[in-house]
Amino acid sequence: MMSIAYDFTPETAAGEFLRKPHQLLIDGHRVPSSSGRTFKSLNPATEEVIATIAEGNEADVNRAVAAARRAFEGPWRTMRAAERGNLLLKWAELLKRHADEIIEIESLDGGKPISATTRQDFPAAIDTLTYYAGWADKISGDVVPTRDDALTYTVREPVGVVAAIVPWNFPLLIGMWKLAPALACGCT
């Protein structure tokens, strides 16, 4: 097994965060899994336990989808596109404010050096979020020139709840590739 040097220490904000058990985030609330089960998240490079996380199941997924559906049918879908874009930009700023902790956690979770996460994963995730924030108010339909006596047009509308399974190797970045465009388009 390859040895990778980490700057992880339990005294950091990331260390403090990882020591706590982690629940699911459903409908804006931290909740245990409906089964009460948890699992140990391992650093793939060292096989050390980095955190204990609630183990979601089908019932938890159904609760999360129902909450996302309520958000979709409520404020998110009808929110002005520019406001969605601004919220995505605020999210990018929040991530930047906590860059050190997020980079440390992402490095441990992916089993890669902090230098790689600092150079590639984190900036690319911020760039992705910022890019799609800029698209939020630029997604529009088209007028299709079919006939002189008809107005034919397309309208782009949010479709609903989006789900994604994110692999272990670039969770922040690949997660952002899924979340940012969906949210920018008005999906939840």
Side-chain angles (χ1 to χ4, degrees):
M1 183 177 301
M2 183 170 82
S3 175
I4 299 176
Y6 294 95
D7 296 328
F8 175 74
T9 60
E11 295 78 35
T12 64
E16 183 179 323
F17 173 79
L18 290 171
R19 276 194 304 277
K20 299 174 184 172
H22 298 281
Q23 297 183 319
L24 304 172
L25 179 61
I26 298 176
D27 204 12
H29 303 284
R30 300 268 179 209
V31 296
S33 67
S34 58
S35 70
R37 293 180 62 179
T38 61
F39 69 95
K40 305 288 185 194
S41 178
L42 303 178
N43 175 328
T46 65
E47 297 184 357
E48 292 177 67
V49 174
I50 60 171
T52 302
I53 302 170
E55 184 178 311
N57 60 25
E58 184 178 349
D60 299 314
V61 170
N62 290 338
R63 285 189 307 165
V65 169
R69 173 58 63 185
R70 285 191 302 277
F72 174 73
E73 291 172 354
W76 194 254
R77 179 179 56 164
T78 58
M79 183 183 295
R80 288 185 19 251
E83 190 175 349
R84 284 196 309 268
N86 286 334
L87 287 172
L88 294 176
L89 290 174
K90 285 181 184 178
W91 187 13
E93 288 306 314
L94 184 62
L95 290 174
K96 288 179 198 175
R97 275 200 306 264
H98 295 278
D100 291 343
E101 299 121 271
I102 293 167
I103 288 168
E104 185 173 347
I105 292 166
E106 188 74 359
S107 295
L108 291 167
D109 190 42
K112 56 178 89 172
I114 285 180
S115 61
T117 305
T118 301
R119 183 185 69 253
Q120 181 180 6
D121 305 32
F122 187 78
I126 297 296
D127 289 348
T128 299
L129 189 52
T130 304
Y131 175 82
Y132 284 104
W135 268 105
D137 61 357
K138 292 163 191 70
I139 299 167
S140 61
D142 294 308
V143 173
V144 182
T146 56
R147 300 180 356 199
D148 290 341
D149 64 341
L151 175 60
T152 306
Y153 61 94
T154 62
V155 177
R156 298 196 184 263
E157 297 177 331
V159 295
V161 176
V162 177
I165 296 173
V166 179
W168 67 268
N169 54 341
F170 287 90
L172 179 64
L173 177 56
I174 295 174
M176 205 57 72
W177 288 347
K178 311 299 182 194
L179 294 170
L183 293 170
C185 290
C187 297
T188 53

